[in-house]
Amino acid sequence: MKTREYKGSIEKKLRKLVLLIVSMVFFIAYVAFAIFYIKEENIRAVKLNKTIQNVISQDLAKLIFLNNVATAADITTKLKSFDVLESLVVYKNGTKAVYQYAKNDKSFVSHHNTCKDGSVEIVGHTITMDTDISYFDKKIGCTSMTLRYVTYFDVFKKYIWHFSVLYLFVVLMTYLLSYYYAKKFTRPIIKLTKFLEQIELATSLDKRIEVTQNDEFGKLYEETNIMLEGLQKSLQEQQKTKEQLRYLQRYDSLTGFPNKDLFLKSLQTLIDTQTTKVWHLIFCIDISKFKILNEVYGHERSDIVLQKFAQRLEEEFEDVSLKAKIGVDEFLLYYRNVSDDEDVAIQKAEEVLNRLLGITSKPFLVKDKEIFISVHVGVDIHSNLVTNAAEIFKEVDSALQNAKKEEVYFSFYNKEVERKAQKSLDIYTELLSAVKEEQFELYYQLQYDGEGTVTGAESLVRWIHPVKGVVSPTVFIPVAESTGLIIDIGSWVLETALKQLSLWHKNPQTQEWTLSVNVSAKQFAAEGFVPLVEKMITEYVINPKKLKIELTESLLAKDTEMMIEKMKKLRNMGIQISIDDFGTGYASLQYLKSLPIDQIKIDQNFVFGMLKNKTDRIIVKTIIELSRAFDFEVVAEGVERKEDVEILKKLRCNYYQGYFFSKPEPIETIMQRYSDGL
Ligand code: C2E
Ligand code: MG
Ligand code: MG
């Protein structure tokens, strides 16, 4: 912000001031000199008066007593030698002039009619002094002596050149000195001015002037810097308060989640942007009986529950497009662009509802108290046809109100959709009790080499449902995955499998068998997985070389670094790593090279298609060749026909697994068959 032009210069003013002072001092000195000079002149005149008196005192006596003309002539001669003496009158008895002398022999006019000792009179360029003439202490007459006298003007005139030259010299010197010193004083000020000119915006308040001096200017700079720092701090605080206010207007202060206003705005923006997929999902989650929770545990604990719940939501639903906290205990999750297929969108809704159950079924540990909550959820699946954010919110809210009214876990806005979703959610509830009651059994499918010799088996879990009978893992593993139940199921599988492997170790017929255990992404990612394996290997005295952990390619899509680290740890223990369903994921060649892998399992779909489909055959061939190049074992899954075996043998596949050889069966069946000589 430039206000006005500053043209004045302190430097010039300082110089002018110094010159003025010097001139004044010089003038005063000149006057003082004149006064002093004239005083000296007075003294000189008195001295001269005395000298002349002394020189002519004898002659004066003679003159007064004898009135001798020759004496008068003598006196005149003597007096002529005194250049400054203008005139002299000798009085007898004070009033009678008996002798007169005038330097220029001009007609002389006495100044006085009388002569009075000690009288001094200055007229123009002359001074007249009267002095008594004594003879042996007796007053015999009086002289009135007029001497040339110097006036102030004379003094000025006489010395004007000297003073002028001196004055000019002094002025010049002063000018130069003042120039030098003025610069010395004004330079720091100019530096400060220039610096302050840069401090125009709040953003330039972080600048500081360099303090190079140790004098008042240094102090001034330091104070300027302190002032700027203070200003900057107070501005920053103002900014912070503003931001906090803005934040509170848009976010929930307890959880940091966006509030309803911001949610609706963001949702509208999402709706307004073009989309390729048609179906979108919104969930409105309400913590049931939160009021009672508040009364029983107090506000502080309940707030912590809300915070922890929000945190779980955040961790579990990382892939959500929008989230919000509305009201005291209600949360919103929004998935945009789920799919162009409504059924896929419904599946996603089921998955979210399952995962939500997963995170609400675990208690919240708040100040040493375990607090359980349950939720009601309103769900709305909508298409691109709904273009108003408020409308979407109204639908999901109405679904939530319905769930609350009917006291059910969830309610869809669209009842037809709800019927479809119900199935998978029933699985979750049943699976919960299945875990508690251990309704699982481990089946084993044998694996063979090219000679048809059993080399090991893969363990495959089965759910023995009290009503439905044997339930396939393809039905319940995804639900267990999404709800977190896989951790418990997986631990049970691992323990059961290792117990079996340790039995095989002890049997000479089976001691060379390997056992492959499927481990899901969530189970593998869990912190306790590696320690659990380690513990069980020790507990059941397992030869780790005989254990294979089967992981899917997709597992590597998330947090790869951590996954690779874990794979390495297992491998260091001697355990083998196998990549299941290879070819369906996205593992690149570069990736394969860096992964700590021992085995690859060709996805059964390629094996199924191999006979009829050329592409599948090429894929199988490529995978086998790739494995050989990287020195991995290769297993073909889903080998159902003799022809499959022939092709695979030609392609030099190492191991085979499939219905052609044997199906997954309970351990008793396998061991029975085996002991019968297969
Ligand atoms: P997977 O690991 O790829 O297992 C092979 C699947 O193919 C098994 O299905 C097996 O029964 C089936 N199979 C084997 N040979 C043939 C064949 O010749 N023809 C056909 N049509 N199918 C064959 P299953 O037992 O239903 O298991 C399905 C998937 O469930 C498994 O695929 C695995 O991903 C998962 N799973 C099974 N048990 C466990 C477990 O204990 N933990 C985890 N996390 N996942 C498991
Ligand atoms: Mg497998
Ligand atoms: Mg497989």
Side-chain angles (χ1 to χ4, degrees):
M1 177 189 61
K2 279 247 163 15
T3 43
R4 49 187 271 213
E5 280 290 317
Y6 287 93
K7 286 189 184 142
S9 144
I10 292 183
E11 191 187 319
K12 276 185 195 159
K13 279 180 196 158
L14 265 176
R15 238 179 288 151
K16 271 186 202 161
L17 182 73
V18 169
L19 285 179
L20 190 76
I21 291 170
V22 165
S23 301
M24 275 171 69
V25 167
F26 210 86
F27 180 72
I28 290 165
Y30 195 18
V31 169
F33 168 76
I35 290 168
F36 172 77
Y37 192 93
I38 283 171
K39 243 193 185 151
E40 279 294 298
E41 192 73 10
N42 266 338
I43 296 164
R44 209 161 42 89
V46 171
K47 271 188 189 162
L48 194 65
N49 181 28
K50 235 182 208 155
T51 311
I52 293 172
Q53 291 284 355
N54 284 341
V55 169
I56 61 168
S57 61
Q58 293 290 322
D59 295 329
L60 284 177
K62 258 191 220 167
L63 184 76
I64 290 166
F65 288 129
L66 305 174
N67 203 6
N68 190 333
V69 180
T71 312
D74 276 352
I75 291 171
T76 305
T77 315
K78 282 180 183 167
L79 290 179
K80 272 196 175 147
S81 63
F82 295 100
D83 189 38
V84 293
L85 180 67
E86 291 291 325
S87 66
L88 188 123
V89 182
V90 180
Y91 292 91
K92 191 176 174 185
N93 297 333
T95 50
K96 190 181 166 203
V98 290
Y99 173 79
Q100 287 189 10
Y101 166 80
K103 186 183 172 188
N104 296 329
D105 285 335
K106 288 182 200 151
S107 60
F108 179 77
V109 183
S110 166
H111 294 276
H112 310 288
N113 293 325
T114 54
C115 180
K116 200 172 160 215
D117 186 44
S119 148
V120 178
E121 195 182 353
I122 298 166
V123 177
H125 288 87
T126 58
I127 179 167
T128 304
M129 288 176 284
D130 292 358
T131 317
D132 279 349
I133 309 162
S134 301
Y135 194 71
F136 292 106
D137 291 339
K138 194 177 171 250
K139 183 184 161 194
I140 53 168
C142 179
T143 57
S144 179
M145 197 183 294
T146 300
L147 295 164
R148 206 161 62 224
Y149 191 72
V150 182
T151 62
Y152 286 117
F153 181 69
D154 291 335
V155 179
F156 285 129
K157 219 166 81 186
K158 186 172 176 189
Y159 291 104
I160 192 73
W161 283 111
H162 304 83
F163 268 86
S164 297
V165 170
L166 195 64
Y167 175 72
L168 280 177
F169 175 73
V170 169
V171 162
L172 184 73
M173 289 313 288
T174 316
Y175 184 84
L176 290 176
L177 275 174
S178 67
Y179 182 83
Y180 172 73
Y181 279 103
K183 271 261 178 297
K184 233 182 150 153
F185 283 113
T186 52
R187 210 177 290 134
I189 297 177
I190 291 167
K191 180 178 160 186
L192 183 66
T193 325
K194 280 193 176 148
F195 169 74
L196 288 175
E197 269 173 7
Q198 298 169 15
I199 313 289
E200 283 185 333
L201 299 165
T203 46
S204 49
L205 280 179
D206 57 342
K207 286 196 175 122
R208 296 288 176 268
I209 188 164
E210 194 190 354
V211 183
T212 42
Q213 284 137 293
N214 213 1
D215 53 13
E216 285 86 344
F217 285 114
K219 181 85 183 136
L220 181 66
Y221 290 178
E222 224 170 80
E223 292 298 328
T224 309
N225 284 343
I226 291 172
M227 183 189 77
L228 283 173
E229 207 172 301
L231 255 172
Q232 195 186 8
K233 262 192 193 151
S234 85
L235 259 173
Q236 277 168 349
E237 264 156 36
Q238 264 183 34
Q239 192 67 21
K240 231 172 149 181
T241 324
K242 257 193 213 161
E243 273 167 21
Q244 265 170 357
L245 266 172
R246 232 173 86 80
Y247 180 84
L248 288 177
Q249 277 165 5
R250 289 141 38 99
Y251 293 89
D252 173 61
S253 58
L254 195 64
T255 59
F257 271 38
N259 63 17
K260 188 178 161 187
D261 275 357
L262 180 59
F263 176 83
L264 288 180
K265 266 187 209 146
S266 315
L267 178 55
Q268 196 58 56
T269 317
L270 274 186
I271 292 170
D272 294 340
T273 41
Q274 279 263 317
T275 166
T276 45
K277 302 213 173 122
V278 186
W279 294 99
H280 321 287
L281 279 174
I282 184 166
F283 300 84
C284 190
I285 307 154
D286 175 89
I287 300 179
S288 339
K289 304 191 178 74
F290 189 72
K291 254 191 183 163
I292 298 175
L293 203 85
N294 249 332
E295 281 162 20
V296 177
Y297 296 107
H299 284 279
E300 209 183 323
R301 278 202 174 96
S302 307
D303 279 355
I304 298 175
V305 170
L306 282 175
Q307 279 172 335
K308 290 197 165 186
F309 181 60
Q311 203 180 331
R312 283 189 193 174
L313 282 180
E314 195 144 50
E315 282 165 11
E316 187 64 40
F317 302 105
E318 269 180 338
D319 53 339
V320 80
S321 316
L322 292 175
K323 58 177 189 270
K325 177 169 176 278
I326 57 169
V328 183
D329 59 345
E330 280 180 16
F331 293 85
L332 286 172
L333 297 179
Y334 184 75
Y335 282 92
R336 187 82 185 155
N337 294 335
V338 177
S339 173
D340 38 16
D341 181 343
E342 193 186 6
D343 284 342
V344 176
I346 295 172
Q347 264 174 33
K348 178 76 183 175
E350 289 167 14
E351 184 205 313
V352 171
L353 284 167
N354 273 327
R355 277 157 64 184
L356 203 55
L357 270 179
I359 64 166
T360 47
S361 59
K362 285 176 276 173
F364 293 92
L365 189 68
V366 183
K367 294 186 179 171
D368 298 333
K369 271 215 154 41
E370 281 198 338
I371 300 178
F372 286 87
I373 61 161
S374 65
V375 294
H376 294 296
V377 191
V379 192
D380 180 38
I381 295 188
H382 58 272
S383 69
N384 283 353
L385 294 176
V386 194
T387 53
N388 185 321
E391 181 69 23
I392 293 171
F393 178 71
K394 234 169 87 184
E395 287 183 6
V396 78
D397 190 48
S398 127
L400 174 69
Q401 297 319 320
N402 196 46
K404 279 162 109 176
K405 200 175 83 200
E406 291 179 5
E407 293 197 351
V408 288
Y409 167 45
F410 66 90
S411 173
F412 277 69
Y413 182 69
N414 182 328
K415 290 294 149 199
E416 206 176 304
V417 170
E418 185 173 305
R419 271 189 290 280
K420 285 190 194 171
Q422 193 75 48
K423 222 174 83 193
S424 112
L425 288 148
D426 287 346
I427 292 177
Y428 173 72
T429 338
E430 289 182 337
L431 206 54
L432 262 179
S433 47
V435 170
K436 269 189 210 142
E437 292 164 25
E438 292 200 356
Q439 296 170 357
F440 302 102
E441 194 176 332
L442 214 49
Y443 278 33
Y444 297 84
Q445 186 175 28
L446 295 172
Q447 295 168 328
Y448 296 78
D449 64 11
E451 312 294 307
T453 314
V454 177
T455 55
E458 176 180 6
S459 68
L460 293 158
V461 70
R462 296 289 179 265
W463 176 10
I464 315 297
H465 193 278
V467 184
K468 296 175 195 159
V470 180
V471 181
S472 157
T474 48
V475 175
F476 70 88
I477 291 283
V479 178
E481 267 263 314
S482 64
T483 54
L485 282 175
I486 192 70
I487 306 288
D488 292 329
I489 299 173
S491 304
W492 178 88
V493 167
L494 193 68
E495 185 159 18
T496 315
L498 293 198
K499 268 190 212 165
Q500 187 54 50
L501 186 57
S502 90
L503 287 177
W504 287 347
H505 284 349
K506 289 172 198 147
N507 184 339
Q509 279 180 306
T510 56
Q511 66 185 3
E512 288 307 315
W513 286 10
T514 58
L515 181 58
S516 301
V517 179
N518 291 288
V519 173
S520 78
K522 206 163 193 173
Q523 189 187 353
F524 189 70
E527 244 171 60
F529 180 71
V530 177
L532 182 77
V533 175
E534 216 167 0
K535 188 181 144 234
M536 287 187 181
I537 280 188
T538 326
E539 200 174 326
Y540 296 109
V541 202
I542 298 294
N543 173 5
K545 289 201 173 80
K546 301 290 174 201
L547 176 63
K548 288 179 181 167
I549 297 287
E550 283 193 13
L551 304 168
T552 50
E553 243 177 303
S554 56
L555 170 138
L556 294 163
K558 229 168 97 181
D559 209 350
T560 318
E561 290 283 309
M562 195 262 282
M563 298 294 189
I564 294 180
E565 206 46 51
K566 283 193 175 181
M567 284 159 86
K568 279 184 182 157
K569 272 189 189 162
L570 292 173
R571 240 171 143 231
N572 287 342
M573 283 156 61
I575 296 167
Q576 297 193 48
I577 304 288
S578 172
I579 300 295
D580 206 355
D581 306 335
F582 190 81
T584 53
Y586 306 96
S588 69
L589 284 179
Q590 180 61 32
Y591 224 51
L592 272 186
K593 212 178 87 185
S594 59
L595 285 179
I597 305 175
D598 302 281
Q599 187 184 68
I600 277 180
K601 294 184 83 173
I602 309 168
D603 188 73
Q604 50 192 4
N605 287 310
F606 301 124
V607 180
F608 296 155
M610 204 171 52
L611 268 179
K612 283 194 185 140
N613 188 326
K614 199 179 164 197
T615 318
D616 284 351
R617 202 160 53 247
I618 292 172
I619 291 176
V620 171
K621 184 172 182 259
T622 312
I623 296 177
I624 294 174
E625 279 168 6
L626 198 75
S627 306
R628 199 172 315 122
F630 283 116
D631 214 14
F632 302 145
E633 277 180 7
V634 62
V635 185
E637 276 189 310
V639 185
E640 291 187 349
R641 295 153 296 197
K642 197 165 172 267
E643 294 89 330
D644 295 338
V645 184
E646 278 163 9
I647 297 179
L648 288 163
K649 264 193 181 167
K650 256 190 214 150
L651 293 174
R652 289 162 60 199
C653 176
N654 307 122
Y655 301 100
Y656 306 84
Q657 182 181 343
Y659 294 172
F660 177 76
F661 295 95
S662 69
K663 287 197 169 176
E665 287 160 321
I667 189 68
E668 299 79 25
T669 321
I670 292 182
M671 294 322 287
Q672 182 63 45
R673 267 199 5 248
Y674 206 72
S675 57
D676 290 348
L678 282 172

